[in-house]
Amino acid sequence: MKEPRQPFSVIGDQDPDTFTNDSPTAQYATGSAAHRVHPSAVVGKTNSLDHLTAQKILQFIGHPPIRMILWDGTKVSPHISNPVATLHFRDRAALYLTLLQPETHWGDLYSEGRVEVDGDLGGLLHAVYRGLQSAGEQAWFNQVNRIMGHRRIRNTFRRSVENVHHHYDIGNDFYRLWLDQEAMQYTCAYFPDRSMTLEQAQLAKMSHVCRKLQLKPGDQVVEAGCGWGGFALYMAKNHEVNVKAYNISLEQVEYAREKAAAEGLTDRVEYLLEDYRNISGEYDVFVSVGMLEHVGPKDYPVLGQVINRCLKPGGRGLIHSIGRNRPRPINTWIERRIFPGAYPPTLCEMMHIFETNRFSVLDVENLRLHYARTLEAWLQRYEMHAERVKEMMDE
């Protein structure tokens, strides 16, 4: 057994499409918007095949406590006294596309107004995922659906830039509407006190990570994937360390550089528009918060080599990532529309970063429920600014 060298901490959020009994869900209403008829929509009276298809969908998702209504007003779900929500299919194609590839199509159908939800959208998704977990006899359907819809993760240098541009370079003003106003942290906050504001919880999270890293004045720190640069500034200001932060989002790096200049910290914090694979130099500390999801399992050994190369003997490190209980690709609609190239790993998969490089894992912590509260806070702020978002983007 090789002697471990650098100690490492691992912090994980849990992917929100797997739930536990104590996972809070966001409670908010999503009343039906004005119905927009899609060009390919086929309406008219439903038939027996439509009814059978709707029943099959309910069967595949484990008969959750939701109402389902078709485009002509037909109710296909059994009587439910207190449904979580009501799901409306506005045309025939929407129903069959949902059966064909729900992970791929449902988000688009919802975005287009062809599927509408009356009631608690978060509660509906919660109920559906619970139903999928309990419907063991339909596991073959879920596996086939996932294989059909999922694209292989190939995060080359060029593809990584395209992926980051798709998600992050859509306007700092947009993200400023619903992230914390102190450090623009696009990651799980930490709520040791449930009454904390989002700003307080994000400051608590950065302090929590710094305690794990055991930062000392004068430490040389490298950060892989720095977002809008808030954590690098926090480390420099509060722990008197020097930070080099790597990021491939142009908008984020420009924002971070301006912030560092405004706070007079350019002598202690440097932001580089570079891929993590190009990290150079030697450091006392390596830290990455919310970047591993964009790496992909194929490149975990590469990331491990980068960390091994840049950490001094006896150095410390921490990786924080969304995670999963069991290995499988991310939801196909999220991967295609929101986070292209993303893959949340299991703890076992993350070990491919550490074990081949003689790292010693000293600490593992799951912040799943803290992430649930973070998502609720983001959602509340987003809803408060929904009209502004429509002005900035579109419907």
Side-chain angles (χ1 to χ4, degrees):
M1 184 176 183
K2 293 183 179 180
E3 181 182 355
R5 194 173 65 174
Q6 293 97 347
F8 240 87
S9 292
V10 180
I11 301 183
D13 312 320
Q14 208 92 14
D15 191 302
D17 73 0
T18 53
F19 293 94
T20 59
N21 289 334
D22 52 357
S23 294
T25 58
Q27 300 296 321
Y28 63 102
T30 55
S32 297
H35 178 46
R36 291 164 283 162
V37 179
H38 194 267
S40 65
V42 177
V43 290
K45 296 293 291 182
T46 56
N47 57 44
S48 58
L49 183 58
D50 299 331
H51 301 164
L52 178 61
T53 300
Q55 291 289 350
K56 277 296 180 185
I57 291 174
L58 287 172
Q59 179 185 346
F60 287 142
I61 60 178
H63 294 287
I66 63 175
R67 286 197 183 110
M68 184 182 292
I69 300 178
L70 302 184
W71 52 94
D72 66 348
T74 300
K75 299 177 181 178
V76 295
S77 50
H79 176 72
I80 301 170
S81 56
N82 293 302
V84 171
T86 299
L87 181 61
H88 298 266
F89 286 95
R90 294 304 187 185
D91 63 77
R92 180 172 282 114
L95 180 71
Y96 287 92
L97 286 171
T98 298
L99 178 67
L100 179 65
Q101 284 188 19
E103 279 201 0
T104 304
H105 292 301
W106 198 87
D108 284 344
L109 294 168
Y110 178 82
S111 300
E112 294 168 358
R114 299 171 65 187
V115 172
E116 294 179 352
V117 176
D118 285 336
D120 179 9
L121 176 60
L124 180 140
L125 294 174
H126 194 163
V128 167
Y129 278 111
R130 280 191 179 282
L132 286 170
Q133 290 177 356
S134 64
E137 70 278 6
Q138 306 301 339
W140 65 270
F141 173 79
N142 299 328
Q143 292 298 329
V144 169
N145 191 286
R146 194 168 293 118
I147 292 170
M148 289 175 63
H150 185 67
R151 299 183 295 188
R152 293 181 63 187
I153 302 299
R154 296 187 182 91
N155 289 328
T156 62
F157 282 86
R158 178 177 177 180
R159 180 63 64 83
S160 294
V161 171
E162 293 172 351
N163 292 342
V164 164
H165 176 72
H166 173 91
H167 186 82
Y168 296 98
D169 292 340
I170 58 176
N172 295 334
D173 290 342
F174 165 72
Y175 284 102
R176 194 180 288 111
L177 292 176
W178 48 277
L179 296 180
D180 67 290
Q181 300 300 299
E182 297 290 336
M184 291 273 284
Q185 292 292 284
Y186 193 17
T187 179
C188 172
Y190 185 62
F191 292 86
D193 182 344
R194 292 178 65 88
S195 66
M196 279 182 165
T197 65
L198 180 61
E199 281 73 20
Q200 291 170 332
Q202 289 293 11
L203 287 171
K205 163 68 172 300
M206 291 187 287
S207 175
H208 190 54
V209 172
C210 289
R211 287 196 301 273
K212 288 176 180 286
L213 288 170
Q214 302 173 20
L215 295 182
K216 304 185 299 292
D219 274 344
Q220 301 296 314
V221 179
V222 62
E223 183 181 12
C226 64
W228 284 274
F231 184 46
L233 294 178
Y234 180 90
M235 288 187 286
K237 285 189 293 187
N238 293 277
H239 295 275
E240 300 179 9
V241 300
N242 299 296
V243 186
K244 275 193 176 180
Y246 285 70
N247 192 345
I248 55 176
S249 166
L250 177 60
E251 289 200 23
Q252 288 185 330
V253 168
E254 289 180 344
Y255 177 94
R257 287 171 176 171
E258 291 175 4
K259 188 83 170 177
E263 298 192 19
L265 288 168
T266 53
D267 60 330
R268 301 236 298 273
V269 180
E270 180 182 2
Y271 296 101
L272 294 90
L273 188 64
E274 285 281 359
D275 190 280
Y276 74 91
R277 286 164 282 204
N278 291 331
I279 289 176
S280 60
E282 288 193 334
Y283 305 89
D284 302 293
V285 173
F286 173 94
V287 62
S288 175
V289 177
M291 192 274 288
L292 184 62
E293 300 92 322
H294 302 286
V295 172
K298 177 177 174 291
D299 288 316
Y300 288 172
V302 175
L303 175 59
Q305 293 165 15
V306 169
I307 300 169
N308 191 52
R309 182 181 72 227
C310 76
L311 264 187
K312 297 176 183 177
R316 294 96 65 198
L318 180 143
I319 289 180
H320 173 22
S321 172
I322 295 174
R324 279 194 180 279
N325 292 333
R326 287 163 292 281
R328 66 165 181 158
I330 196 170
N331 174 281
T332 55
W333 184 81
I334 293 177
E335 197 278 328
R336 292 189 180 206
R337 303 293 187 233
I338 309 298
F339 274 116
Y343 183 90
T346 65
L347 193 58
C348 180
E349 289 173 312
M350 290 180 70
M351 291 303 106
H352 293 297
I353 302 170
F354 311 118
E355 290 180 350
T356 58
N357 292 285
R358 298 172 59 199
F359 294 123
S360 178
V361 178
L362 301 183
D363 175 68
V364 178
E365 183 176 6
N366 190 327
L367 301 181
R368 175 197 194 108
L369 300 184
H370 294 271
Y371 206 175
R373 292 188 62 81
T374 306
L375 293 171
E376 289 175 358
W378 286 347
L379 177 62
Q380 183 181 27
R381 294 184 179 205
Y382 184 92
E383 293 289 337
M384 287 172 57
H385 295 98
E387 292 302 318
R388 175 66 181 132
V389 174
K390 291 178 184 178
E391 295 172 5
M392 297 170 67
M393 311 290 187
D394 54 33
E395 179 70 29

